[in-house]
Structures are given as structure tokens and as C-alpha cells.
Amino acid sequence: MSKILMITIELPYPPTSGGRMKSWNMLKFLSEKHEMGLACPIKYGDDKVEKMRSQLKLLDFCHAKCEIPRTSANLIKSYVQGVPLNVFRSGSHKLKEDVTAIAQNFDAILLDHYEGFQYIPQDFKGKIFFHAHNATYLMWERYAVSGSNFAVRLVAKMEAERVKKYEKNVCRKADLIFAAPNDIDMLAVTGVEKKKFRETYHLGDDSQLAFPSIEFKKTEKKILYVGTLNWEANIDGLLWFIQEIWPKVLQRDSEIKLDIVGGNPDERIVQACQLQNNIRLLGFVDDLEQCFVDSRVFIAPLRFGSGIKVKVLNSMCRGLPIVTTSVGAEGIAVKNMVHMVIADTVEGYFDGIIQLMNDVALWNKIEENSRKIVIEKYTWKKVLGAMNEEIIENMN
């Protein structure tokens, strides 16, 4: 049984976001196959640490508080240190010292997120496996195009170059890289050998596949959004939907409602919702089942980002038909109007919502096909089992 130290950039519990869901499921699965250690900064309070520890058997666990906000001052500090902003925001001197003290006790390090690369000791002799949650530089490149003003776009463009250089260095130092298919292509573009890569996926809550199908006749005229409401890609997409598309939806049918689920909403979202009718900000919801079965359409109006979007796969697992963009659908083997509705324009997005609100045959087709393809391709058992096989093979 190998000893593997997983380094991630936040406590992977509770698994309330797409990134934490993948990290948590990966850690749980591998802890049943190997002797696992965990190292991570604590960014959002430490009240969940003991509950997480009670659910896992860990050989070592080191952590340190690291609450560094995303501000202009910290952006400047990151330039002084010569690292991307998110690397700076994930840095802790104490945690670096703690990891250095235990790293040589492990056969391998599983680096979960590129920002954690700073914690790997330079003299580490074991294998390094890199789990890339995204081709993150691509997110910044896309934000440089869709940002709200020239200054924001310029900063995003500069950050994209810094992140690209950093991700390339991480990939070159890694012995093996796990990433979604679309992210593999984009990371390979930076000059990394493609033979290093292995496919993996960010998945949704596949336990929902055991639930009975949602019935169109039992749903309400309601749209559902679930996501992290302080993440810039989600903020941008939601503002686009609320300001550009939602008024058209209400003009067509004033009975349609929009429920937005997620904790700590950005103030821009709060203000935008206050200016519109029929929108409810529900905050964090522990059990989403009632939200799903009452709703008729799920939305993921993303205009930038990278990797597979867990919110999209979650809606597919539950069989709630989704309207998303090409960014929201990337990396998933789906077809427009078969597994979901994909639209990148205001008019196309509006049309997709109205169709699913009223076309029972289309709604039923997408409900059935979305769950079917998840069963075929996107379950945790398949993805994590394949990942573990690659780790074992490369340890020998």
C-alpha cells in the first residue's frame, strides 16, 4: 500500500462546490486504497475540520489558516512575489514548513489544483501526480474578452499570461497529469507533452441517478440556478442572464419564476435581483431535491471558464433539462437539443427556455437522454477507479 500526500488549496469539506466535490470524492476513494495524508490552507473558517477528520483515516493532516482576499493591493503583492494572484492567495509560510517536515515520508504527492505547487519541497524524491481542475489560464483569457471594462480586461489578459507560465511549469514537473479532455488540449497547447496526460472528469452527485424521474406535469413554471455566487465566472453569467434574458422571459410569460441557490452572493447579484420581478435568492440549501423536482428548467449561463462544469452534470444526473452555453457544455459528450439546450446568444438562450417551458416532448427527451449519458460515462466509480489504476501503474 503506497503512501500518498494530497495537497489541495482549501479544506475539501463539505463538498458544496464542484471543485470541493471532486477533491472530497477523490480523497475518500483513494484513502480506501492507499495510506493518505492531506495538506491544505483553511480559507473559510476551521469549524468543519474535525467533522471531516471523523470521516477519513489519514496518515497525516496539516493545515493553516489562509484568508487572503482578492484585492488590488494583493494583486500588486503577487506581482512583487512573482506568482499569479490565486497562488499568492493560497500561500501560507506555516503550511509550507509543515509540508516540508512530512513530505519525505510519502511515496508520492497528489497535487490537487495548480496553486498548491508552491508547497511541494524542491528536494522531494517521490512521484508527483497533478490533478488539474481547469486549464485556468483559459478562464482568464476568456475573462479578458468579456470583462466589464478596459481596465478589468487588461488585468485579466496579464493574469492569463502569468497563470499560463505557472501551469506550464507545474505540468512539466509532474510525472502524470489528470485533466478533463478539453483541458488536456488547452494545457498541451502551452508546450506540455501530451503523453503525460490522463483523462478524468469533474462529476455531479451521481447518487441522484437512483431517484425517480422528474415529471413535467408536476413541475412549476420555474427556472433553477445552483452555484457558487462569489465566483467571477458565475457572477458574470448570472448578471448576463438577469439583465439581458430574464426581462424577455417575463415579457413572454409573467408567471415564470427564477430561484437562485448559493451562499454568500456577490453584491452585484443581489442588486441585479432587486431590480427584477419573480426572482428569489434562496441562499445555501442543504438538500436540493425539492428545488429540482419543483423546477422545469435549469440554467448555467456561463460565458467564460474552463473544464467540466459540475452544476451542469448535477442537473443531468437529476434529469432536470438544462439550458447552457457552449462554455457550460464543453468537455461533456452531449448534443444540442438531445441532451441539453446550448445557446450563446440572448435570443437563442431565451428561445431555449421558452421551448423547454412548453414543449413536453422535447422536455421528456432531454430528461431521459441526459440521465442516460451520465450513467454511461460520468459516474464516480468509473472515473476514480481509472484514476487509481493509473496511479498504481506509475508508482511501480
Side-chain angles (χ1 to χ4, degrees):
M1 183 176 286
S2 300
K3 296 180 180 179
I4 301 174
L5 175 62
M6 178 170 161
I7 300 176
T8 189
I9 59 164
E10 63 177 343
L11 190 74
Y13 186 88
T16 52
S17 69
R20 285 197 293 275
M21 186 180 294
K22 177 64 180 291
S23 299
W24 174 244
N25 280 285
M26 188 166 62
L27 180 60
K28 278 202 308 178
F29 186 89
L30 292 177
S31 66
E32 297 171 357
K33 314 293 181 182
H34 309 274
E35 293 185 87
M36 295 295 295
L38 175 66
C40 64
I42 305 293
K43 296 182 176 180
Y44 309 107
D46 56 5
D47 58 314
K48 303 297 183 183
V49 169
E50 290 307 316
K51 187 171 182 180
M52 186 206 75
R53 291 204 69 170
S54 69
Q55 299 184 51
L56 293 171
K57 183 179 179 181
L58 294 175
L59 192 61
D60 270 302
F61 177 37
C62 52
H63 56 89
K65 284 191 176 182
C66 182
E67 299 176 356
I68 304 173
R70 186 184 288 108
T71 64
S72 299
N74 284 328
L75 177 63
I76 293 170
K77 290 178 183 178
S78 74
Y79 271 93
V80 172
Q81 288 196 9
V83 296
L85 176 60
N86 285 344
V87 174
F88 176 79
R89 293 183 61 233
S90 299
S92 162
H93 293 297
K94 180 184 183 303
L95 188 58
K96 288 177 185 177
E97 292 175 354
D98 291 345
V99 172
T100 299
I102 67 170
Q104 301 302 344
N105 299 328
F106 291 87
D107 305 307
I109 287 177
L110 174 58
L111 177 63
D112 185 47
H113 292 279
Y114 79 99
E115 296 98 326
F117 183 66
Q118 61 189 301
Y119 292 108
I120 300 180
Q122 292 186 358
D123 61 349
F124 181 70
K125 301 294 194 300
K127 296 280 188 177
I128 297 175
F129 304 124
F130 174 36
H131 174 234
H133 280 244
N134 301 284
T136 312
Y137 81 87
L138 181 61
M139 300 173 67
W140 286 103
E141 283 187 351
R142 288 172 171 173
Y143 192 35
V145 175
S146 64
S148 57
N149 58 61
F150 175 77
V152 169
R153 293 193 294 271
L154 178 61
V155 169
K157 183 177 181 180
M158 295 169 65
E159 196 64 14
E161 289 302 315
R162 297 206 298 162
V163 172
K164 181 186 286 187
K165 181 179 179 181
Y166 199 91
E167 285 185 307
K168 180 179 180 180
N169 186 43
V170 175
C171 289
R172 284 185 167 178
K173 294 294 179 64
D175 295 287
L176 198 66
I177 306 162
F178 296 97
N182 52 312
D183 288 330
I184 289 175
D185 291 339
M186 299 314 301
L187 290 169
V189 164
T190 69
V192 183
E193 295 177 289
K194 208 160 187 179
K195 66 181 181 180
K196 279 190 173 186
F197 290 95
R198 300 293 185 274
E199 289 188 359
T200 189
Y201 300 93
H202 280 58
L203 304 182
D205 180 6
D206 61 7
S207 66
Q208 295 180 108
L209 293 169
F211 295 171
S213 295
I214 299 171
E215 296 182 47
F216 181 93
K217 65 183 180 181
K218 293 183 179 180
T219 64
E220 302 173 12
K221 287 185 175 181
K222 188 166 67 178
I223 297 170
L224 177 65
Y225 176 91
V226 179
T228 304
L229 300 183
N230 54 11
W231 176 240
E232 196 62 39
N234 290 345
I235 295 168
D236 173 83
L238 262 181
L239 290 177
W240 175 64
F241 179 83
I242 293 169
Q243 294 168 352
E244 303 293 331
I245 301 166
W246 185 241
K248 292 179 177 291
V249 172
L250 288 184
Q251 188 174 10
R252 174 64 68 89
D253 189 338
S254 61
E255 293 182 359
I256 298 176
K257 296 178 174 59
L258 170 62
D259 280 353
I260 299 174
V261 175
N264 302 312
D266 186 274
E267 186 59 30
R268 288 168 289 175
I269 293 176
V270 175
Q271 292 178 1
C273 291
Q274 290 173 345
L275 295 174
Q276 301 288 347
N277 295 324
N278 292 14
I279 300 179
R280 294 193 302 174
L281 279 171
L282 299 182
F284 175 76
V285 175
D286 187 51
D287 185 356
L288 292 171
E289 177 60 9
Q290 195 59 48
C291 295
F292 276 119
V293 298
D294 284 348
S295 302
R296 191 167 298 176
V297 177
F298 190 93
I299 58 168
L302 289 157
R303 299 197 296 175
F304 69 90
S306 71
I308 289 178
K309 315 306 182 296
V310 171
K311 63 175 68 68
V312 174
L313 280 172
N314 263 339
S315 72
M316 294 174 67
C317 281
R318 193 59 195 90
L320 179 59
I322 180 171
V323 182
T324 189
T325 60
S326 55
V327 172
E330 68 181 350
I332 311 174
V334 292
K335 295 180 179 179
N336 184 30
M337 307 304 288
V338 176
H339 304 97
M340 60 180 61
V341 177
I342 304 170
D344 293 318
T345 65
V346 170
E347 288 300 327
Y349 214 96
F350 163 75
D351 288 341
I353 288 171
I354 298 304
Q355 278 185 282
L356 287 175
M357 279 288 167
N358 299 287
D359 189 335
V360 180
L362 175 64
W363 193 96
N364 285 332
K365 181 177 78 169
I366 290 179
E367 186 274 337
E368 180 179 350
N369 288 338
S370 63
R371 301 191 96 186
K372 182 178 179 181
I373 198 168
V374 169
I375 292 169
E376 291 173 354
K377 292 179 175 287
Y378 304 113
T379 63
W380 286 114
K381 184 176 181 180
K382 289 182 180 179
V383 168
L384 295 176
M387 190 176 186
N388 184 54
E389 287 176 9
E390 291 287 352
I391 289 173
I392 291 173
E393 182 177 338
N394 280 271
M395 292 290 291
N396 297 327

